[in-house]
Each structure stands twice: as C-alpha cells, then as structure tokens.
Amino acid sequence: MDIKAYIALSLTLFTTGIIGVLVRRNAIIVFMCVELMLNAVNLLLVAFSKMHAVSPAAKASLTYASDAQIFVFFIMIVAAAEVSVGLAIIVMMYRNTHSIDVNFLNRLKN
Amino acid sequence: MLGTYTTFPELLILVPMLAGVICFFLGKNNAAKNVALFASIVTLCISLASLCYADEKFAKYNTVSYIWLKYIGSTYLVGLDATGRMLTLLTAIGFPLIFVATYKNDYKNSASFYGLMLLTQAGLMGVFCAMDALVFYFYWELALIPVYFLSSKWGGEKRIQATFKFFVYTFAGSLLMLIGIIYVYLHTPGRVFEDGTTSAHSFSINAFYQAKLAVSDQAWVFWLFFVAFAIKMPIFPFHTWQPDAYDQSPTSVTMVLSGIMVKMGLFGVLRWLIPIFPAATKEYAHLIMILSIIGIIYASCIAIVQDNLKKLVAYSSIAHIGLMCAAIFAMNAISVQGVLLQMFNHGINIIGLWIVVDQLEKKTGVKEISKLGGVAHKAPVLTILLVIIALANIALPLTNAFVGEFMMFAGVWQYNHWYAAIAGISIILAAVYTLNMIQKVFYGETKPLTESIKDIALHEKVILSVIVVCIFMMGVYPQPMIDLTKHAVKVLLTINQ
Amino acid sequence: MNNVLHIVWLIPILPLIGFLINGLFRNSLSKSVAGFVGSAVILASFALSIFAFLQVKSGNTHLAHYFNLINIDALRIGFDFKIDQLSSLFLLIITGVGFLIHVYSTSYMHEEPSKDFAKYFAYLNLFVFSMLLLVMGGNYIIMFIGWEGVGLCSYLLIGFWFKNNDYTNAAKKAFIMNRIGDLGFLLAVFWLISKIGTVSYDEVFSATSLAKLSTTDITGITLLFFVGATGKSAQIPLYTWLPDAMAGPTPVSALIHAATMVTAGIYMIARSSILYSMAPVTQCVVAIVGLSTAILAATIALKQNDIKKVLAYSTVSQLGYMFLGLGVGAYTGAVFHVMTHAFFKALLFLGAGSVIHAMGGEQDMRNMGGLKKHMRITHLTFLLGCIAIAGIPPFSGFFSKDEILAAAFEASPVFWVIGVAGAMMTAFYMFRLYGMTFLGKFRGTHEQEHHLHESPAAITFPLIVLAILAVFGGFVGIPEVFVHGGHKLAEFLAPVFAQTNAYVSSHHAHEALSHNTEYILMGTSVLLALVALSYAINKFSKYQKTETASTGLAKVLENKWYVDELYDAVIVKPLRSLSAFFNNVIEKKGIDGLVNGVGKAVNYGGRQLRWIQSGQVGAYVLLMVIGMLVLFIIQFFVKNI
C-alpha cells in the first residue's frame, strides 16, 4: 500500500489531537487528545519501519526491520505510565476543586 | 611513595579540598578555624618541599594524569611548572598569613566560612596546576563560586549588590572563555590514549598549543579568552566590580581576591592566551597595552581622590595590575621576567596592606580617611609597618616590588618608549596617593575616633614582621625567585616566536 | 677579591647597623646610648673612608662585585661598589660632615623624648647609608637605590615632627617632587638598557658602548638624567621643595639639604661626564638651567626673613652654580664647589641652628639682632662661613666659585656676567643675614634675651671644625695662576675625568685663559662682592623693624615670584579636578552606569516577558504548537541552514 495513505491518516489523527488539546477545556478530553497524538506517531513509525525494511542496508542490521516497532513499544509503555499518573492527577484535581476544567488550574500561577 | 601514589600538585589541591570538606562538618567552636590553619600550613610545607624537587629529573613528582573523560579527549592532567610553582607558593603562603592575621575575627557559622575558604584555595591551586583545558575551567569556577558565597554571606552592608556585580562580571567572563575553549578544542588534533581509546580532539594543553587556528579565527577567539582574564585582573574598563567587591567583602576574602585571585587572570594570559593565539597577541598587543596604560593612569588618579581607604587600595591594585598586563604584552625577556617576579611580590604586599587596613578599620570602626588622623602617636608599630608596606607598594628600591616594576618598565620601554614614559607617570601618582593617605591617617593631631586606639597585638606584629622581612629579602636578593621562573620566561618566548 | 678595598661594604653597612639598633630598640635605649651609637657608626665609617681615600690616592681603585641583583640573559645588574677618586672624595665629605652633624644633633635634639631621639638618629643613620650607596654604587641601579633612599629619609626627617600638618605637607612635597625627577632618572636608565643592555658605569662608558649610541640617544639620556638631577638637587623647575624642607630639624637641613643629598645630582652628572660632554645640547641646557636657578634663588633670598629660608635659597643658588660648572665642562670645579659648599653651608646651617636654639625656636631674623656678644663662638664661625660663601679670598668659597666662573667665561662671557651678578647678590644676602642676626640691637622679647646663651660644646665643636675647613678647604684647589701645580684636587680627580677631557680636547680647540684675563676676572668679582658686602653690613647692622607692607618687586620677591601658586594652579588643581572627573563621571556614571544599565535592561525585559507566563495551559500549548510550526517552516522553506 502506498505510504502516503499512512502519512495522511496519521497527520489527520495528529491534527485532531492538537486541535483537541487547544480548544477543549475538559481535562479528560485533553488527555485523550494527547493519547491520540501519540498513537498518530506510533502509526507513522510502524509504517516507515515497514517501508524501510526493503532496503539492503537495513537487512544487514542486527535488529532487522524491527527498530521502529520496538520504539513503538517504548512509547506505549511511556503512554501507559503517563496515563496512570495523569489520571491520578485528574482525580486529585477533581477532589480538590470539583472541576476538571484545565483553565481552572491557572490559579497555580500564584 | 611520592611520585608513585601521589604527586605535589595533587597534594596541593587535595589537602585544602579535603580539609575544606571536613570543616563543613565541624561544630561551631574554633575547631574549623584550627583545622583550616593547620591545613594551610601543611599546604605551605608541601609547597616549600616542591621547590626542592623542581628539577627536571623529578618530573614524576610534578605531573600526574588520570583518565577522566577520555571519550572527549580530556584527562585529569595536573602538573607544576615554573610559573605554577611560583603561584602555588604564593597561594600557599597567602592563606596561612590570612588565617593568622584574622585569627581573632569571629565569623558566624565559622565552619562553613573556613570550609569555603579552603575550597577557594583548592580551586586556586587547581587553576595554577591544570594542564588540561577542561580541568582548568573546572578549577577556575571552583575558585570563583566559594568567593561568591563568602562575600554575600559575611560581607559588609552592600554585600549583595557588590557580590552580584562581581559574580555577573566574572561569570560572564567565564562563559565567554568556555565558548573559546570549546572552539579551540574543535580545532585540536586527535588523541590516542594508552588503552587504545581514540578521541577526535583533545583538551590537553599541548594540543591547545598545537591547534593552529587561522589568523582570522584567532582574531575573535582571542577576545573570548582575553575578556575573561581581563575581568579577573581587572583591566580598564572591566574593573568596576573590583573596588566594590574589595570594599564589601570580609577582609580575609578581600586578601584572597586581591593578593591571589587577580593573579589567575595574569596567569591565564601567560598560559592559556598568548601561546594559543600568537598571531592575535602580536596584532592586539598595542591595543591592550594602551588599555592597560589608560587604566594605570586612570586608576591612580581615582586613588588620589578616594576617601575610602579600602577603595584606595583597590584602585592602587588596579594600577599595578595594569602595569603587569602591559608588561606581559610587551613580550620580551625583561618584561615577562619582571611580571613573574611582580606577581609574587604584589601578592605579598597587598595582603600586608589589607592586614593593616583591616586593623585600622577594626580599631576605629571607619574606613574614611578623612575621619582618621594621628594614628602614629597611638600605634607606632602599626604605623611603621604600614609605612614600610605602603612604600613597598609604590616600589621603593630595596623593597620587593622595585625589581619587578623596574624590569617591567624597562621591558615596556623596549617595546615602545612612550608607553613606558606615560605609564611611568603612575610612579609619581602612586607617591601622591600613598603619601596623602599616610599623612591623613597617621600624621597630624589625633581625632576623636583615633583618640583611644591601641597598638596591634603580638600575633599581628609577628605576621606583619614576616611580611616585612619577605619584602626586604625579596628586594635585596631577588635572584632566587628569578632563577625559579627564568625557565618559564624562555619557554613562553620560544613558543611565541 | 683580593683587593683590600673589597671591605668597603663595611662603610655603608655600619650606618645600617646603627639604623637597626636605634630603630628596633628605640623604646629601650637611653638618649646617650642612642646618640653614641648613631655617631660612633658614622665615625667608624669615616675612618674606613679615610682608609679608602688613602688607598685610592696611592693609585688603588676597585670595583667590588658582591652579588647579582638581577641576572637574566638579557640583563645583568650586579650589586657593585665602585671606589675611585670621585666616590672616595664624596665618601669623605658624607661621613666627615655627617659625623660632625651627628655629634651636633646629640645636643640639638636633646629636648626630644628619648623614643623620638633614637628614631631621629635611626633616620639619620639610614640617610647616611643611602647616601653612601648612592656614591659607592658601581652602576646606575645602585645609585638609584641610594637616590630614592635619600629621598625617603629626607621625607621622614622633614616630617619628623609629624603632628604639624605644614611640616608633613612639606615632606610630602619634597618626596613627590623628587619622584618626578626620579622618573626622569629611571627613563634614562631604561633608555640605556634598551640601547646597550647594561647599566654599569664601566660598561656604559666604554668606547664600544658609546659607539652604539646615536647623538639623539645621548642627548635624550643625558636630558632625562638631568631631569632626575633637577629633582634631587633642587633646580628649576623642581626647586620649590627645598625651601619648604626647612621644616625639618636644623641639623637635617645642614646634612641633607645643604651638604650631601642635594649634591647627588652633581655627583651623578660628574660621574656621567663623558655622556654630557658628548651632548652639547644638554650641556647648554644644564648651564642655562643652573645659571637661571642661581639667579632666581638669589633674588628670592634677598627678601626672606626666616633665617633658614635664606640659607635654603642660598643653597639652591649655590647648586645652580655647580650646575653651571657642569654645563660649561668644569667638572672638577663643580665637584670642588660641592666640597667647599658642604663645609661652609653645613657650617652656616649649624650656626643658624645654634642661634635658633639660643632663641628658643625663633627663626625670624626681624626678632634677632645683636647676638654677637652673647654667642661668641657661633658668631665668629658664622662670620667665617659668610666670608667663605661670599667668595672673598683666601677663603674656600673663593677658589671653587672662581674656577666655575672662569670656565663660564670661557664658554660665554654672558654666563660670567650673570654669574658675577649672582655672586654679588650672594654676598649681599649673606651679610644681610649676618647683620640682622648678629649686629645691632636685640629685637626679640625680654624673655628670649634672658635666655640667650652660647651653645654647649657638642654644638660648638662641629662649628669650629667646619669653620677651619671652610677657611682652609680651598687650598686643595689653588688655581694655576697663583701656584704652579697648586690644584691638588684636579690632579687627584684627573683619572676620573681623563676620558672626558681627552674627548673634549680632541673635539674642540681649547685655549686656556691668559693669566691677565684671569686676574681681571677674579679682581672684578671679588671687588663687586666686597661692595655688596659692605653695603649690606652698613644697611642691616642698624636694621629696625618696620610694619609697612612691601610693594612692587619687593613683594614679588617676598612671595618667591609666586612660583608655588603657579604650580598649584597649573598642576595640582587640574590634577585634582581631573581625578574627581574620572571618579564621579567616568567611573560612576560611565562604566558603572553601563554595567548597571545592562542589569536594569535585563530586569526590565524579564518583567515584561513575565506576562507570557499566563498560567493558562491552553496558551502554553498554543505557543508550543506555534513554535513547532515555525521550526517546520524554517526546515522546509528556508534552505541552507
């Protein structure tokens, strides 16, 4: 399949994520949008990995055709860790402020 | 044992450093003070011993190299050469003098005070011993940062402002130097270590000397280094941190700053500037000498109208350092030899001067010259010792500063007559401000503030007498010091051929 | 090394030991011990000096090398002493006159507390030490060490009574003016080093070294040395410190500011005579400056009323004559005049000290008068000194002054005319001084009159010895016209100036004055001096105090031609305002302003940028996205980065 389709899909996902982070105020939605961006990047990594695997230089490598895919696992693990911490923060925030509006957090400034 | 397990430069650095760390953990009583004094005396003994092993055949006593950051081509390389030996000796003499002279002072939280002082000493020793650019930079900062804390914590009323200025000035200089070091580093040849590791570039001093920078590159990298050193010395117009810092720091820190730390700048020029940038040195020598000479006259003039005793000494020091800087850039055998001699002598004299000024301030509580007077009746010993040290400071013959200043002037004259003649005016101006000060502080009738002062105590007499004896010994028979540093002059001049 | 003269190091070391003893133990020494130690070391030095002199006289000169002061490849300066005819003569003058003045001081300073008494002798010994270094040095650096050393001692001794601000001001002025001269000296030495790489006399004056020096070099070097001499020997333009230096104790004025230190400049030029002879321009400058100083100082001396001030200006004037002698090439004459001047001027100062002592510290001659009958020895010796300085034969001043004037006549009759005019004034002001002090009626208070007495033996003994020397000292230099081979001093000094004389005679056709001319010259000058002398005695033996303020020229003279005021306006004040300008404007507003300005700018910028940190998470993310976009755009559309 043409690589361009993957790029297009992942760009769409990524842009959706960015716009979501920028316009939404609900912390959980913002959070999900962040995850969306991460997954867009994951998709792209896997796609490029597959594409580059045909080159002879890559075949010589010890980790033939799996570099990027290993990276994806890393990102997923980091994302999982992030989710656990992030959700915990949101829960704590809700307990304290009874709101999950991110703009509410600007009081941290002072 | 020596040479196999440890060497002089290591000892010189480690003894104060370890003692400094120990001091931090000591209680509030006098323990830290005594440990510091003891450590500094041990360091002095080591330094004196190192003089006996100055010969080439004791090379393994005097240099040592540990693998440190080999992948970027840096080793922990420290060594003593002639210049380093002379300046470590000055550092080693200076600290015990300072500790004894201020023994009676009580500092709040004295454990940290003495700990920081000793760390400064370790830093200074490191600067004078470093043979690797990264090590040099490391110690350069190590010497600087404790002084910042010392001044800002134990200084005078306006200490925060003064130390902030000091810190910004010197730190800006250090960063410029760091950029310069990295730039030169990128032009050094590669290096192979004993274990086969290779690095593309090297931080060792020899590699820096071999880094053949293009003349156009030298032209601007030179200034990165020079500004750092010029701030430290300081040279006009980078000097304004100094009078404030001297005025506001606790006196023992001021002694370190003016007696030893300013030598870091001169030393830097001698070791890390001129040999690396020979073309730029030649090109800018005139400019720098003119700056120095403006500084000499300018600082001397300001000293004449200063009412603050400490600032007067500070400006006088700026003038003297300016002459040393001019003499370095004259780059001939007489002038450079004079500088090496004078670096040591200036350190001794100015520490002596600060001890006396400190005594006066402690006894009367003021440092304004106009409020003092007639001290000679009340404290004749203090007066005599001050007059001797002050006259040494203005280079009267048979005192130590004369030989050095004479050679520096003679060397500058060889470079350019007019520079020497104009700089020579400072001889007259120095007499004016020194005699003014002596007259107003010591002569005349006593004033209310000086009515009840007492002469100095025994240990201060002893310390000042030691300094005075040094002054005369070095003034009448300076040849040993010349012999010690003669070789360094030759090396420097050959590198820069 | 085997030369017996190698022990000459003892000559300066002895006074140094005296200095150390008196200086370190000044609190515990009694006055008699301090005075004894101070004088005894000088006496011992004097004995050794006589020994050295006799050795030199029998033809044994020596360059003693002790150790190296500086020894690097480019420059070698040894701690050397050169004992030859010139230095041995000066050794005699310094230690001889010095000893007498030490003895005199034991009595004169007796009223000081014993601590200060010992301090005084310590300073005096230190001075003798420095002065000996100056004349014994075998190179210009040792000379310079002594040169600055005597300046320092002069400073310490002028300001000896340091409670008085005027005195310490005078001391400061002396030191600073000397330092101006010293700078000239140093620059000359640097010039020598840069051209021939050595400062030792023997090497500098050797033919090979001299060949390396161009005429410009020699003229420059000699002029700079002369600047040094004007400082130390109080010549125009640096003479004003000497009259002020009279603030010091009187024996100090006699020793330092009349007999020894101020003649250092003459010694230096005589030592470098070959250089000066090779630089006609400089010689001309030296002669003119010397003559102008002689006249200027003599005119000021005419109207001074302070007994020591008159003598001080007289010293300046006599030093001017010596420089005139040096300028016209009469080196022997100048050195001769140094010697006779040391005798009679030390005598006059000590006599004045005796008078001041008797008057209880009074120095104003208007309050003296008629002291003749109260102080017989002082009066007699003082009179002999006055006759000697006025140049009346056969007293010593006549011979030396005549030798200089004769040489001046050879150079130019104008010099001679002006010189004789100065000599007339000398006779006039000295006998004005004599008349006002010793003749007529006593004009002081009743209390003072009651107190008048002859001084004790420790004071009169040096006066008598010096008076004998002042009367007969001239006979070592009787001119050829009177006795063939009578000029023993010239014979003695001949080896020192041999090189110079050879050079001069090979370059200039030299014709000695005919005997008739010389008789006429001598006769005229003596006659004119006698006229001035008798006029002064007539006028001032009947001197009465008047209250009217003087006007016109007299007022200008009383105020010393307003030279001090001029210097103050032209140098001191501008320097102070320049310094204040540096301090207040450039330092505080300029450089510090710039540095603080940078600090303020950063502060201001920080405060403005703070508004970006709004705390809105969304705003941060937006900024981040914008930043990323900018980077992308740069990456894609701006090439070659």
Side-chain angles (χ1 to χ4, degrees):
Chain A
M1 202 195 246
D2 191 7
I3 190 78
K4 279 183 188 155
Y6 289 100
I7 297 178
L9 175 59
S10 113
L11 265 183
T12 316
L13 282 175
F14 194 80
T15 319
T16 316
I18 287 183
I19 292 171
V21 169
L22 285 182
V23 299
R24 297 308 295 263
R25 291 162 56 186
N26 186 323
I28 294 181
I29 304 266
V30 168
F31 206 69
M32 280 157 67
C33 288
V34 171
E35 292 300 313
L36 206 56
M37 286 194 280
L38 277 172
N39 283 323
V41 174
N42 280 349
L43 181 63
L44 210 54
L45 273 169
V46 175
F48 279 127
S49 161
K50 191 72 186 160
M51 186 187 91
H52 279 300
V54 292
S55 74
K59 276 179 184 155
S61 163
L62 202 68
T63 53
Y64 170 58
S66 59
D67 290 14
Q69 286 160 21
I70 292 170
F71 254 107
V72 170
F73 280 112
F74 270 115
I75 293 173
M76 283 170 146
I77 291 162
V78 169
E82 186 200 320
V83 166
S84 59
V85 176
L87 280 178
I89 292 175
I90 291 172
V91 170
M92 286 306 294
M93 178 183 157
Y94 183 74
R95 276 190 197 163
N96 279 316
T97 62
H98 295 282
S99 155
I100 47 171
D101 185 343
V102 284
N103 283 358
F104 203 70
L105 287 176
N106 69 358
R107 69 173 55 165
L108 281 178
K109 196 174 91 176
N110 303 319
Chain B
M1 183 183 144
L2 199 71
T4 319
Y5 298 110
T6 183
T7 58
F8 284 122
E10 282 177 287
L11 284 176
L12 287 175
I13 297 168
L14 284 179
V15 169
M17 195 184 282
L18 293 178
V21 173
I22 291 169
C23 277
F24 280 112
F25 297 107
L26 291 173
K28 288 220 165 67
N29 51 9
N30 275 344
K33 194 183 272 187
N34 293 328
V35 168
L37 183 58
F38 179 71
S40 66
I41 290 173
V42 170
T43 317
L44 176 60
C45 296
I46 297 168
S47 176
L48 289 174
S50 81
L51 292 181
C52 309
Y53 294 95
D55 206 277
E56 285 290 318
K57 63 177 182 247
F58 298 112
K60 67 170 183 174
Y61 291 7
N62 289 320
T63 38
V64 68
S65 158
Y66 293 114
I67 290 177
W68 188 32
L69 297 166
K70 62 181 174 184
Y71 294 104
I72 57 169
S74 172
T75 50
Y76 183 81
L77 176 63
V78 287
L80 274 178
D81 68 348
T83 322
R85 200 167 280 119
M86 195 258 301
L87 286 169
T88 45
L89 179 66
L90 174 64
T91 315
I93 294 179
F95 274 84
L97 278 182
I98 293 166
F99 286 146
V100 177
T102 57
Y103 195 79
K104 284 274 169 63
N105 296 15
D106 277 321
Y107 298 101
K108 232 192 285 170
N109 198 353
S110 68
S112 351
F113 181 86
Y114 285 99
L116 287 168
M117 283 293 273
L118 285 172
L119 283 188
T120 312
Q121 188 184 14
L124 286 163
M125 289 290 189
V127 166
F128 298 140
C129 292
M131 295 284 181
D132 181 282
L134 217 53
V135 179
F136 175 71
Y137 186 76
F138 169 72
Y139 281 119
W140 179 276
E141 294 297 331
L142 180 64
L144 174 65
I145 291 165
V147 168
Y148 171 71
F149 286 115
L150 284 167
S151 302
S152 57
K153 214 166 155 195
W154 287 276
E157 287 162 20
K158 293 187 208 146
R159 59 180 186 273
I160 299 297
Q161 199 193 346
T163 45
F164 190 69
K165 201 163 159 190
F166 162 73
F167 191 73
V168 169
Y169 253 113
T170 45
F171 211 75
S174 303
L175 289 179
L176 290 179
M177 183 171 75
L178 184 62
I179 297 170
I181 288 178
I182 292 170
Y183 190 87
V184 179
Y185 168 71
L186 292 175
H187 289 78
T188 52
R191 179 171 189 181
V192 181
F193 288 86
E194 285 153 6
D195 60 355
T197 316
T198 54
S199 63
H201 300 294
S202 162
F203 276 110
S204 90
I205 193 164
N206 288 326
F208 267 52
Y209 286 2
Q210 283 154 20
K212 297 269 183 290
L213 291 178
V215 176
S216 55
D217 280 349
Q218 285 194 18
W220 63 272
V221 186
F222 174 86
W223 288 102
L224 296 180
F225 279 82
F226 181 74
V227 168
F229 298 142
I231 287 172
K232 201 91 222 181
M233 282 191 242
I235 291 297
F236 176 88
F238 305 107
H239 64 275
T240 53
W241 64 269
Q242 201 196 39
D244 288 345
Y246 284 11
D247 187 28
Q248 293 300 327
S249 300
T251 313
S252 41
V253 177
T254 307
M255 291 176 201
V256 175
L257 270 174
S258 60
I260 307 165
M261 214 164 245
V262 296
K263 309 300 183 307
M264 276 164 64
L266 294 161
F267 173 81
V269 170
L270 283 171
R271 172 155 304 160
W272 294 97
L273 184 73
I274 289 174
I276 302 178
F277 308 103
T281 304
K282 278 207 185 71
E283 168 136 13
Y284 295 123
H286 273 286
L287 181 59
I288 290 171
M289 284 173 84
I290 289 172
L291 269 187
S292 311
I293 288 163
I294 292 176
I296 296 171
I297 301 296
Y298 175 83
S300 304
C301 281
I302 293 185
I304 293 177
V305 289
Q306 270 312 324
D307 192 39
N308 183 329
L309 198 54
K310 288 182 142 181
K311 287 198 174 176
L312 186 145
V313 179
Y315 280 107
S316 135
S317 176
I318 293 174
H320 286 109
I321 298 287
L323 177 61
M324 291 186 221
C325 182
I328 290 179
F329 281 91
M331 280 307 280
N332 54 51
I334 301 180
S335 69
V336 176
Q337 182 66 65
V339 173
L340 289 180
L341 209 56
Q342 188 65 1
M343 284 213 278
F344 187 85
N345 292 333
H346 175 261
I348 299 289
N349 290 351
I350 199 117
I351 289 176
L353 215 47
W354 284 121
I355 294 175
V356 184
V357 171
D358 181 43
Q359 287 300 323
L360 273 176
E361 198 191 343
K362 249 190 282 174
K363 286 180 200 302
T364 60
V366 292
K367 47 197 171 185
E368 279 80 18
I369 294 173
S370 50
K371 289 186 187 158
L372 297 166
V375 175
H377 309 285
K378 301 288 174 186
V381 179
L382 179 70
T383 307
I384 292 167
L385 292 170
L386 175 108
V387 169
I388 294 174
I389 296 170
L391 291 174
N393 193 40
I394 60 171
L396 213 72
L398 290 189
T399 62
N400 54 1
F402 170 69
V403 186
E405 279 207 4
F406 175 80
M407 290 169 86
M408 292 194 290
F409 274 118
V412 173
W413 175 280
Q414 288 193 0
Y415 188 82
N416 185 314
H417 303 348
W418 294 109
Y419 292 174
I422 295 170
I425 295 174
S426 70
I427 296 181
I428 301 164
L429 296 177
V432 174
Y433 62 71
T434 306
L435 297 190
N436 261 337
M437 185 265 287
I438 293 177
Q439 182 190 23
K440 286 190 187 140
V441 174
F442 293 99
Y443 296 161
E445 295 290 346
T446 50
K447 297 204 175 148
L449 274 172
T450 55
E451 198 61 54
S452 57
I453 66 169
K454 292 202 172 60
D455 214 338
I456 50 179
L458 184 66
H459 74 281
E460 289 142 359
K461 274 185 202 168
V462 171
I463 277 295
L464 286 169
S465 308
V466 167
I467 290 177
V468 166
V469 169
C470 262
I471 285 175
F472 284 116
M473 262 169 44
M474 302 283 302
V476 177
Y477 192 51
Q479 193 61 35
M481 202 41 111
I482 294 179
D483 287 336
L484 179 66
T485 48
K486 221 170 176 175
H487 184 63
V489 178
K490 266 187 212 143
V491 171
L492 184 71
L493 293 176
T494 19
I495 288 177
N496 211 38
Q497 274 307 303
Chain C
M1 274 292 171
N2 296 324
N3 195 310
V4 283
L5 277 177
H6 207 72
I7 57 146
V8 287
W9 58 270
L10 275 172
I11 300 180
I13 287 297
L14 284 166
L16 184 66
I17 293 171
F19 159 71
L20 290 176
I21 294 174
N22 273 331
L24 292 177
F25 306 110
R26 66 189 184 291
N27 291 330
S28 45
L29 288 183
S30 73
K31 281 187 201 176
S32 47
V33 175
F36 175 76
V37 170
S39 314
V41 287
I42 306 295
L43 183 64
S45 280
F46 180 55
L48 280 166
S49 303
I50 293 176
F51 166 72
F53 178 79
L54 292 176
Q55 282 287 322
V56 171
K57 202 160 187 295
S58 59
N60 177 13
T61 61
H62 185 49
L63 179 72
H65 173 71
Y66 297 103
F67 58 88
N68 283 324
L69 204 58
I70 296 172
N71 185 11
I72 55 175
D73 297 340
L75 181 67
R76 195 184 141 276
I77 295 173
F79 201 94
D80 300 347
F81 285 157
K82 185 179 172 71
I83 302 300
D84 67 350
Q85 288 79 4
L86 190 59
S87 51
S88 64
L89 184 69
F90 270 84
L91 284 185
L92 280 186
I93 297 174
I94 294 161
T95 51
V97 176
F99 170 66
L100 291 175
I101 289 169
H102 276 71
V103 171
Y104 180 95
S105 299
T106 53
S107 170
Y108 190 85
M109 299 298 284
H110 213 263
E111 278 152 34
E112 296 294 317
S114 74
K115 205 165 66 178
D116 291 347
F117 188 79
K119 189 173 84 177
Y120 171 84
F121 274 94
Y123 287 167
L124 220 52
N125 282 345
L126 184 65
F127 168 77
V128 174
F129 164 72
S130 311
M131 192 68 206
L132 289 171
L133 277 190
L134 195 160
V135 296
M136 290 172 76
N139 58 46
Y140 283 109
I141 297 305
I142 307 296
M143 186 196 267
F144 185 74
I145 291 175
W147 191 269
E148 286 251 289
V150 290
L152 170 69
C153 297
S154 159
Y155 164 77
L156 292 171
L157 283 163
I158 296 170
F160 184 74
W161 291 303
F162 56 75
K163 277 192 184 176
N164 187 323
N165 243 337
D166 290 343
Y167 291 2
T168 49
N169 275 336
K172 202 170 75 183
K173 184 173 174 186
F175 194 83
I176 289 167
M177 284 207 151
N178 269 307
R179 270 241 148 171
I180 297 175
D182 294 348
L183 177 61
F185 190 115
L186 270 182
L187 292 179
V189 172
F190 298 150
W191 200 327
L192 273 178
I193 290 177
S194 71
K195 286 291 167 188
I196 52 182
T198 177
V199 288
S200 117
Y201 301 140
D202 293 349
E203 289 168 31
V204 171
F205 305 143
S206 70
T208 45
S209 299
L210 291 177
K212 286 186 207 158
L213 296 170
S214 69
T215 318
T216 328
D217 290 336
I218 296 187
T219 311
I221 291 169
T222 46
L223 276 176
L224 284 171
F225 270 132
F226 181 58
V227 171
T230 56
K232 192 102 325 185
S233 298
Q235 297 296 295
I236 292 174
L238 300 177
Y239 71 92
T240 57
W241 67 268
L242 184 60
D244 288 11
M246 294 302 126
T250 310
V252 169
S253 311
L255 179 62
I256 301 186
H257 305 120
T260 54
M261 181 184 95
V262 288
T263 61
I266 289 104
Y267 170 77
M268 190 257 291
I269 292 182
R271 186 50 93 190
S272 331
S273 59
I274 178 71
L275 291 177
Y276 280 82
S277 291
M278 288 167 79
V281 179
T282 313
Q283 277 207 308
C284 190
V285 172
V286 173
I288 291 174
V289 169
L291 196 57
S292 325
T293 313
I295 294 296
L296 183 83
T299 54
I300 298 174
L302 294 176
K303 291 299 286 179
Q304 296 301 309
N305 289 322
D306 183 321
I307 186 167
K308 284 181 76 182
K309 283 267 158 82
V310 177
L311 290 174
Y313 280 106
S314 158
T315 307
V316 176
S317 168
Q318 295 301 312
L319 290 166
Y321 277 107
M322 296 175 207
F323 279 99
L324 171 66
L326 295 170
V328 298
Y331 300 110
T332 316
V335 174
F336 188 20
H337 201 54
V338 167
M339 188 182 97
T340 55
H341 178 254
F343 298 151
F344 57 67
K345 191 52 70 61
L347 167 63
L348 289 170
F349 264 115
L350 295 185
S354 176
V355 168
I356 294 167
H357 196 243
M359 295 285 298
E362 177 69 63
Q363 300 194 6
D364 194 331
M365 296 191 297
R366 284 171 296 193
N367 298 331
M368 298 180 183
L371 298 183
K372 186 176 167 182
K373 46 188 178 296
H374 299 286
M375 311 178 71
R376 292 198 175 281
I377 303 175
T378 306
H379 162 251
L380 183 68
T381 52
F382 200 90
L383 177 62
L384 292 174
C386 285
I387 300 174
I389 194 176
I392 309 299
F395 288 59
S396 62
F398 164 73
F399 293 105
S400 54
K401 195 183 277 181
D402 175 68
E403 190 173 337
I404 291 173
L405 286 177
F409 184 82
E410 277 180 64
S412 157
V414 181
F415 286 170
W416 182 83
V417 172
I418 302 176
V420 168
M424 261 181 82
M425 282 191 255
T426 310
F428 179 83
Y429 64 69
M430 281 319 298
F431 279 87
R432 170 175 173 267
L433 168 69
Y434 170 75
M436 282 175 82
T437 310
F438 290 99
L439 304 180
K441 277 205 201 85
F442 187 72
R443 296 181 293 273
T445 60
H446 210 68
E447 203 180 332
Q448 281 172 326
E449 188 164 14
H450 185 70
H451 181 255
L452 285 178
H453 59 85
E454 180 57 284
S455 303
I459 287 185
T460 49
F461 166 69
L463 290 179
I464 295 168
V465 176
L466 284 170
I468 295 169
L469 288 169
V471 174
F472 301 108
F475 293 129
V476 296
I478 305 169
E480 284 297 283
V481 282
F482 294 138
V483 183
H484 181 67
H487 208 316
K488 295 280 183 235
L489 187 73
E491 266 174 47
F492 177 67
L493 288 175
V496 179
F497 301 121
Q499 192 189 5
T500 312
N501 290 337
Y503 176 86
V504 171
S505 52
S506 69
H507 282 73
H508 309 284
H510 181 79
E511 207 172 313
L513 292 177
S514 72
H515 285 187
N516 282 339
T517 330
E518 228 177 316
Y519 281 128
I520 294 172
L521 294 181
M522 272 181 211
T524 325
S525 68
V526 170
L527 199 67
L528 288 172
L530 280 171
V531 169
L533 177 162
S534 41
Y535 176 68
I537 291 204
N538 254 330
K539 187 167 173 201
F540 290 102
S541 56
K542 301 185 279 285
Y543 177 80
Q544 285 300 321
K545 259 198 264 194
T546 49
E547 295 299 322
T548 49
S550 44
T551 49
L553 186 61
K555 192 176 172 211
V556 175
L557 290 182
E558 262 173 33
N559 286 298
K560 308 147 193 169
W561 294 100
Y562 296 102
V563 175
D564 277 330
E565 286 79 0
L566 182 75
Y567 284 176
D568 199 48
V570 176
I571 295 169
V572 181
K573 281 193 183 132
L575 179 66
R576 288 206 84 85
S577 29
L578 179 73
S579 305
F581 171 76
F582 278 164
N583 189 28
N584 298 330
V585 180
I586 297 190
E587 183 81 357
K588 294 211 175 109
K589 297 217 173 93
I591 300 175
D592 245 14
L594 195 70
V595 174
N596 292 339
V598 172
K600 275 182 196 143
V602 170
N603 236 332
Y604 176 80
R607 228 176 293 127
Q608 298 308 311
L609 284 174
R610 216 179 67 178
W611 300 117
I612 294 177
Q613 302 284 334
S614 59
Q616 304 280 353
V617 180
Y620 293 154
V621 178
L622 185 64
L623 275 177
M624 200 168 83
V625 172
I626 291 170
M628 268 160 32
L629 279 177
V630 169
L631 285 176
F632 274 123
I633 290 165
I634 291 173
Q635 182 70 31
F636 280 109
F637 299 102
V638 187
K639 298 289 172 196
N640 303 327
I641 287 189

